[in-house]
């Protein structure tokens, strides 16, 4: 009985070794096109006018035909044709840290740099403001999302023994905490330091979990195989806790991306296809739909990962959109992964 288990172990080790070697050719054009993973891609050229100068896109959220785009210049609403609808009236001087859509009430929750929450209608009417940390023990809100009528926030606080503890809090829309879970890093079968980089709330099944990519791509395939083999993907977790995962779960795909390092060689885009048991190169995908070059990052448009997007501008879109000049707003590309 030992021989089959030994052969299985060798096969997993071989996959890990081959996968790491496969993704190590940084800067090399990816052999795989986006058509290998996507059912469709729709281009949305964002309208440019004197009231709408988007700048660098930092976050995109979607609800049906409504597309909300956050940049250093504010939050803008477009429709799926790219037509500009309105801009949220954020107070001058307030830096926007994050935002989330309450799709049930058609509202936008905006987090500013002072850790205050502002609520607007989709059309831009200011409704109310909350200070959720005023009477709470946490120091920093890391991320937020609206799910099933509640506001969920991931928070961090410094404990008396000088370590940082992360928690997931479910609140009503008046800012009152209703449930609280300890955020724990998923067991990867090896020693791993807790991440202090970006964290994003996502949903798998009926469970909310936190996604935080590892800053090193060297272990991403090995960790993914370990999670699959040990059945530790969401919604697995101990009572009273919620998991921090190094990959997003999106149907048949597990996805991780890291693009915060100044060294391009350390950034990666990882996809693992559970249906085919296949991993893709870590340096991105060739855009074989619109010929805009290498796509190095995919960001989800909602908590469920139903749809993803990437953004291109300037010379990268000149072939597909020759009428757009260098100062035009970016083109968003909305991508649905294969089912």
């Amino acid at each position: 009985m030992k021989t089959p288990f030994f052969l299985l172990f060798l096969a997993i080790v071989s996959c890990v070794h081959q996968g790491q070697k496969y993704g190590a050719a940084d800067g090399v054009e990816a052999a795989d096109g986006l058509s290998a993973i996507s059912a469709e891609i729709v281009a949305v050229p964002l309208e440019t006018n004197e009231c709408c100068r988007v700048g660098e896109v930092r976050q995109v959220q979607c609800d049906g035909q409504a597309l909300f785009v956050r940049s250093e210049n504010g939050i803008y609403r477009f429709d799926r044709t790219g037509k500009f609808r309105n801009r949220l009236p954020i107070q001058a001087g307030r830096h926007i840290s994050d935002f989330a859509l309450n799709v049930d009430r058609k509202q936008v929750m905006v987090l500013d740099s002072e850790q205050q929450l502002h609520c607007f209608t989709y059309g831009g009417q200011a409704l109310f403001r909350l200070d959720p940390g005023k009477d709470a023990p946490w120091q920093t809100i890391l991320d937020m999302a609206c799910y099933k009528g509640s506001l969920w926030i991931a928070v961090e606080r410094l404990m008396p023994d000088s370590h940082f503890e992360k928690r997931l809090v479910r609140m009503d829309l008046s800012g009152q905490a209703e449930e609280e879970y300890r955020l724990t890093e998923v067991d990867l079968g090896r020693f791993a330091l807790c991440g202090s980089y970006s964290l994003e709330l996502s949903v798998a099944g009926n469970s909310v979990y936190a996604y935080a990519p590892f800053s090193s791509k060297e272990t991403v395939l090995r960790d993914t195989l370990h999670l699959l083999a040990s059945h530790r993907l969401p919604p697995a977790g101990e009572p009273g806790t919620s998991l921090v995962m190094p990959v997003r779960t999106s149907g048949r795909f597990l996805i991780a991306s890291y693009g915060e390092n100044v060294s391009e060689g350390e950034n990666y885009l990882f996809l693992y296809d559970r249906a085919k048991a296949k991993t893709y190169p870590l340096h991105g995908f060739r855009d074989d739909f619109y010929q805009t070059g290498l796509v190095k990052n995919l960001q989800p448009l909602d908590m469920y990962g139903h749809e993803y997007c990437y953004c291109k501008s300037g010379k990268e879109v000149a072939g597909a959109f020759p009428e757009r000049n260098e100062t035009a707003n970016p083109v968003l590309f909305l991508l649905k992964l294969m089912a």
Side-chain angles (χ1 to χ4, degrees):
M1 293 296 292
K2 292 182 178 180
T3 301
F5 288 106
F6 179 72
L7 292 176
L8 177 60
F9 173 78
L10 288 179
I12 293 175
V13 171
S14 175
C15 286
V16 172
H17 176 72
Q18 291 174 11
Q20 289 175 332
K21 182 178 179 181
Y22 186 44
D26 298 307
V28 179
E29 184 76 5
D32 293 272
L34 284 171
S35 59
I37 61 168
S38 54
E40 67 173 8
I41 298 179
V42 177
V44 181
L46 301 180
E47 179 183 347
T48 307
N49 60 46
E50 64 278 3
C51 300
C52 177
R53 297 286 178 175
V54 171
E56 181 185 353
V57 174
R58 296 179 177 175
Q59 185 182 4
V60 182
Q61 293 283 292
C62 174
D63 176 19
Q65 293 298 310
L67 284 170
F68 289 85
V69 177
R70 176 173 74 92
S71 74
E72 72 275 14
N73 297 328
I75 298 178
Y76 304 85
R77 179 169 70 102
F78 300 87
D79 64 21
R80 280 188 175 250
T81 69
K83 183 174 177 58
F84 172 63
R85 293 301 182 180
N86 60 275
R87 177 180 178 179
L88 297 189
I90 309 297
Q91 182 179 338
R94 285 190 179 268
H95 173 72
I96 304 170
S97 301
D98 194 9
F99 80 95
L101 300 183
N102 183 346
V103 298
D104 296 325
R105 298 192 179 190
K106 305 302 178 186
Q107 296 172 348
V108 188
M109 303 296 294
V110 179
L111 176 69
D112 68 23
S113 55
E114 297 179 12
Q115 301 282 281
Q116 292 187 338
L117 287 169
H118 307 259
C119 182
F120 301 89
T121 65
Y122 280 10
Q125 178 186 356
L127 297 177
F128 58 85
R129 185 175 67 184
L130 299 175
D131 190 356
K134 182 178 179 181
D135 300 315
W138 57 74
Q139 279 83 28
T140 306
I141 299 176
L142 302 174
D143 193 55
M144 66 175 185
C146 294
Y147 176 62
K148 289 189 174 180
S150 296
L151 176 66
W152 295 74
I153 59 174
V155 299
E156 184 177 62
R157 63 184 174 189
L158 182 63
M159 304 300 289
D161 61 358
S162 297
H163 86 278
F164 284 96
E165 181 180 83
K166 296 182 178 67
R167 288 190 172 265
L168 180 64
V169 182
R170 183 173 72 86
M171 311 178 75
D172 64 24
L173 295 181
S174 70
Q176 295 298 311
E178 296 181 326
E179 286 183 288
E180 192 168 327
Y181 303 88
R182 186 165 57 91
L183 280 172
T184 60
E185 280 75 13
V186 68
D187 182 7
L188 297 172
R190 63 177 180 85
F191 174 75
L193 293 174
C194 298
S196 59
Y197 26 82
S198 60
L199 183 146
E200 173 190 300
L201 294 179
S202 301
V203 171
N206 292 315
S207 298
V208 178
Y209 70 97
Y211 159 71
F214 286 116
S215 57
S216 171
K217 62 186 178 183
E218 299 305 319
T219 63
V220 63
L221 176 59
R222 182 176 66 191
D223 293 341
T224 300
L225 292 175
H226 175 81
L227 294 173
L228 287 167
S230 56
H231 305 288
R232 295 185 182 275
L233 293 170
E238 299 297 325
T241 67
S242 184
L243 294 176
V244 179
M245 303 291 299
V247 290
R248 300 184 189 98
T249 64
S250 186
R252 65 189 268 184
F253 292 96
L254 301 175
I255 303 175
S257 58
Y258 185 80
E260 301 177 12
N261 201 309
V262 294
S263 172
E264 278 291 320
E266 294 301 316
N267 298 333
Y268 62 82
L269 171 58
F270 171 80
L271 271 84
Y272 182 86
D273 185 344
R274 287 187 274 190
K276 294 183 177 180
K278 176 182 179 180
T279 186
Y280 290 90
L282 295 176
H283 46 269
F285 287 83
R286 176 172 44 85
D287 180 0
D288 54 352
F289 285 83
Y290 292 94
Q291 312 303 323
T292 64
L294 203 61
V295 176
K296 299 180 181 180
N297 201 0
L298 291 175
Q299 293 298 322
L301 291 175
D302 55 45
M303 292 183 71
Y304 305 90
H306 291 154
E307 203 169 11
Y308 283 76
C309 74
Y310 60 97
C311 183
K312 297 280 189 173
S313 60
K315 294 180 179 179
E316 291 181 309
V317 298
F321 301 92
E323 73 283 0
R324 296 183 75 80
N325 59 40
E326 289 288 329
T327 62
N329 279 335
V331 178
L332 287 180
F333 297 88
L334 312 182
L335 178 151
K336 289 185 179 179
L337 296 172
M338 290 180 176

